[in-house]
Amino acid sequence: MSYPIAAVDAHDPRVHIQEDSNVISPANYVLEDGLPPNLETYIFYAQEQRDKEVAEARKEDHKPPTGWLSELFGLNRFGRDQDSVVSSGEKKSIPDETATLAITPAEYRTASSSLRTATWSAVFYLITTDILGPYTAPYAFSAVGYGPGVACFIAFGIMAAYSGLLLWHMFLKLDSERFPVRSFGDLAHRVYGSWFRVVCNVLQSLQLIVNVGLIILANGQGLSQMSMFKLCFSICNVVWMIAGMIVGQIRTLKRFGWIASLSIWLNIITLVITMGAVAHTPPNYIAAWNSYGVPQGPVQTMIINRQPFQAQLNGIMQVVFSYGGAMIFIEFMAEMRRPMDFWKAMACAQVFICIVYMFFGLFVYSYQGQFTLIAANQGISLYSLQTTTNAIGLVAGLIAAALYGNIGIKIIYQNIFIGLFRAPPLTARAGKYLFAGFVVVYWAVAFVISSAIPQLTNLSALIAAVCIFQFSYTFPPFMVLGYIVQVDAMSEDRPYDVNDPRASRIDSWWSLSRWVRGYKKHFFFNTWNLLLTVTCLATAGLASYAAIEGIISDFATGTSGTSFGCQSPVG
């Protein structure tokens, strides 16, 4: 069972607000002096929050111990979650229409604490609810060969885990019930300020809408194969656009939360069928020719594929796609009853991705070689098995697209419509109508993206380089660098006074002494994160250039489908 990704809604995810309620939670955090909190304040209340969670965990020591497997498969999750809600405090009554539409900060924090119920096993399912990652893994090996492919999967997996731990550490140090961290942008804001939150929100919104477009494109290709290319490809994409507009009307993902956990098992079934099919049937030569211009011939595999650097980078970006969950790690932690347990979900998910995805990629590449498609199951030549995997993939794809679309729409609505245009919250009647209309526009834009650039390989590589790479590899070390420098600069400050939170600093950031003091205490660690940030930015720039060149080249040579055309890219 997975839990809803509601962390970017117009209210804190840890507060349950009924569908018909217009309750507005306090979101504009200011102190008594009318100014926003400083880093010292965030750290102070976060430490109180962590101490409270540790104390609550000790109270539960008398309960029967639970094992990792029982947690992972949800054998004892439900009872404990209900107990945690009941034991955390009395149930809060929902105000009627004559009551005030606002709640006090104290009530807000109590409700926030009582309904943080997600367990680490639930978060594991959400991290692995991925539709494109496993299917693109074989293409990564096809692009670079066995040796570099394995090296990239392991190296990127280790660095993704490192980034996840950095985000987890900063979340624990800066999140509290009084000042909750609800999204990647919130964490970015606390470290570097508003400008960095804007950068993160823009990239996050771009990644999510292109992800939805990629799923429309992949599902359109699958539907065109199922129709034996008798249905116009653009019409296939329109079908999934309309389906998304309908499914996307669900505002709260808790209404179909169990379906999200079903997605991982659908993906596994598809992987198993695909492996069995490619081992006993020839590659899909027609799709390989139409997609990449590869002529029919014997299957060839290589230890190192010495092809142009541009094509290799596009393949490596498919590995990055497999580890692209860091963007919403913060949202997951914000939903957890014990955020300190997040490392378990993250570790299990990264090991699962590394082992399962890499094994699948190696297996399919060994049988299909240079004919491997970006969507591996669409490389099956036997129509019956191809149709079976496409049918399963269509369902899993729609689930993933609903998740991505729901988050993406809420990010844009929260930060643009509410933040700039004072739109009503999603819990208000007018907000519901606006949300319904925005869903239609959102999926229409995703359709335009997918149909204008019907190149699954290059488009996925481009969004991996521009967005996913930043959240998974560039931003975490950059953020922890800023966080640690600021914390170490406090080492000679006066003790923090909750009644006068701005009186502790002995110097300002206009003074060189504060910069030196902040950087030198963890000099080597700070230098490592600085170099890592610069290296990641350079890699992302090269990969973006390679993907753009690939798009231009494929349009020029005609090896991809035409924009808004009827010819399927795989048929």
Side-chain angles (χ1 to χ4, degrees):
M1 170 72 72
S2 63
Y3 284 75
I5 310 177
V8 290
D9 205 342
H11 57 274
D12 184 63
R14 292 165 282 188
V15 182
H16 176 69
I17 297 180
Q18 288 189 356
E19 287 291 300
D20 296 329
S21 175
N22 289 333
V23 174
I24 302 175
S25 61
N28 298 318
Y29 308 127
V30 293
L31 299 179
E32 285 74 8
D33 56 8
L35 298 175
N38 53 15
L39 191 67
E40 292 90 335
T41 302
Y42 290 130
I43 293 174
F44 175 81
Y45 286 103
Q47 185 59 50
E48 282 192 345
Q49 175 68 22
R50 302 289 89 80
D51 293 340
K52 176 183 176 182
E53 290 168 357
V54 170
E56 290 176 348
R58 288 173 179 169
K59 291 180 181 179
E60 297 182 2
D61 285 346
H62 67 280
K63 295 188 176 183
T66 59
W68 281 53
L69 289 178
S70 58
E71 280 280 356
L72 195 57
F73 290 100
L75 300 181
N76 46 38
R77 178 162 62 235
F78 305 104
R80 291 189 291 102
D81 286 349
Q82 293 297 327
D83 292 342
S84 69
V85 173
V86 175
S87 63
S88 297
E90 296 180 356
K91 295 181 179 179
K92 299 296 175 181
S93 60
I94 303 298
D96 57 28
E97 295 180 357
T98 61
T100 178
L101 295 182
I103 58 176
T104 66
E107 292 173 329
Y108 174 71
R109 292 193 294 271
T110 301
S112 177
S113 174
S114 65
L115 284 151
R116 296 174 66 173
T117 57
T119 62
W120 69 266
S121 54
V123 173
F124 163 80
Y125 281 110
L126 283 175
I127 295 175
T128 52
T129 301
D130 189 4
I131 187 61
L132 292 173
Y135 301 142
T136 61
Y139 180 81
F141 288 98
S142 175
V144 298
Y146 286 118
V150 171
C152 286
F153 254 101
I154 294 175
F156 279 112
I158 292 173
M159 295 311 299
Y162 173 72
S163 295
L165 290 175
L166 295 182
L167 294 174
W168 174 62
H169 175 77
M170 288 184 285
F171 180 89
L172 294 181
K173 295 297 183 180
L174 297 174
D175 168 76
S176 64
E177 292 171 4
R178 186 180 182 91
F179 304 113
V181 175
R182 298 174 292 183
S183 66
F184 203 106
D186 281 353
L187 188 63
H189 175 260
R190 298 192 183 186
V191 177
Y192 286 116
S194 299
W195 71 269
F196 194 50
R197 175 164 60 184
V198 172
V199 171
C200 291
N201 286 337
V202 168
L203 289 179
Q204 195 174 27
S205 300
L206 178 63
Q207 177 181 336
L208 288 167
I209 195 169
V210 175
N211 275 357
V212 174
L214 287 170
I215 293 173
I216 291 176
L217 182 57
N219 280 6
Q221 291 183 177
L223 185 58
S224 69
Q225 285 185 326
M226 294 174 69
S227 67
M228 302 183 73
F229 310 110
K230 295 178 181 178
L231 188 62
C232 175
F233 179 66
S234 291
I235 298 299
C236 294
N237 288 343
V238 168
V239 169
W240 294 108
M241 177 191 70
I242 295 174
M245 291 177 177
I246 296 173
V247 177
Q249 296 301 325
I250 302 177
R251 291 184 305 278
T252 55
L253 296 181
K254 65 176 177 287
R255 295 199 173 195
F256 59 102
W258 66 272
I259 303 179
S261 62
L262 175 65
S263 178
I264 184 177
W265 302 112
L266 292 176
N267 285 332
I268 290 176
I269 292 172
T270 302
L271 301 186
V272 172
I273 295 176
T274 301
M275 288 190 293
V278 300
H280 296 91
T281 60
N284 191 338
Y285 298 114
I286 297 177
W289 170 256
N290 289 327
S291 297
Y292 310 120
V294 178
Q296 182 173 343
V299 173
Q300 297 177 354
T301 57
M302 301 179 185
I303 299 297
I304 299 178
N305 189 352
R306 303 184 186 277
Q307 62 173 328
F309 186 59
Q310 169 187 313
Q312 290 183 329
L313 267 181
N314 283 345
I316 291 173
M317 285 301 105
Q318 306 310 320
V319 180
V320 173
F321 224 108
S322 299
Y323 296 107
M327 177 190 66
I328 46 180
F329 278 0
I330 304 302
E331 281 86 343
F332 295 158
M333 284 183 265
E335 294 276 353
M336 293 185 69
R337 180 160 55 100
R338 295 180 186 172
M340 287 183 286
D341 287 343
F342 173 78
W343 70 270
K344 300 178 184 177
M346 194 266 298
C348 289
Q350 301 294 13
V351 170
F352 175 88
I353 290 171
C354 185
I355 294 177
V356 175
Y357 290 19
M358 186 166 59
F359 175 78
F360 176 72
L362 288 169
F363 189 95
V364 173
Y365 175 60
S366 297
Y367 283 99
Q368 296 210 324
Q370 73 273 30
F371 304 106
T372 303
L373 297 185
I374 186 68
N377 67 298
Q378 295 178 3
I380 300 173
S381 58
L382 185 62
Y383 176 76
S384 59
L385 292 179
Q386 181 192 90
T387 301
T388 300
T389 58
N390 274 329
I392 298 174
L394 299 183
V395 176
L398 193 58
I399 294 173
L403 293 174
Y404 296 146
N406 188 277
I407 299 171
I409 291 170
K410 288 176 179 177
I411 289 175
I412 296 174
Y413 191 89
Q414 171 72 22
N415 292 283
I416 296 179
F417 286 86
I418 293 181
L420 298 180
F421 301 108
R422 306 298 181 185
L426 293 178
T427 50
R429 183 182 299 275
K432 296 175 184 178
Y433 292 141
L434 285 175
F435 179 85
F438 194 64
V439 167
V440 175
V441 176
Y442 190 89
W443 278 84
V445 172
F447 163 77
V448 171
I449 293 173
S450 62
S451 297
I453 311 176
Q455 301 176 21
L456 195 58
T457 303
N458 292 322
L459 188 58
S460 61
L462 180 61
I463 200 63
V466 174
C467 299
I468 299 177
F469 200 91
Q470 317 311 322
F471 289 108
S472 296
Y473 301 105
T474 306
F475 288 165
F478 176 62
M479 291 166 63
V480 83
L481 171 64
Y483 169 76
I484 290 179
V485 168
Q486 293 181 71
V487 170
D488 288 345
M490 302 174 193
S491 59
E492 297 182 11
D493 288 346
R494 290 179 288 271
Y496 176 79
D497 183 1
V498 67
N499 296 316
D500 193 3
R502 306 188 192 280
S504 60
R505 297 186 181 182
I506 62 173
D507 52 8
S508 70
W509 289 107
W510 293 104
S511 303
L512 181 62
S513 59
R514 193 165 189 87
W515 287 94
V516 173
R517 186 169 67 251
Y519 193 89
K520 71 177 183 179
K521 185 174 182 179
H522 294 94
F523 177 83
F524 292 106
F525 186 64
N526 290 333
T527 303
W528 154 256
N529 285 306
L530 177 60
L531 293 176
L532 184 59
T533 301
V534 174
T535 303
C536 289
L537 284 174
T539 303
L542 283 174
S544 301
Y545 171 78
I548 293 172
E549 285 294 314
I551 292 173
I552 296 173
S553 175
D554 283 0
F555 273 132
T557 58
T559 53
S560 67
T562 59
S563 299
F564 301 97
C566 276
Q567 178 66 31
S568 174
V570 293

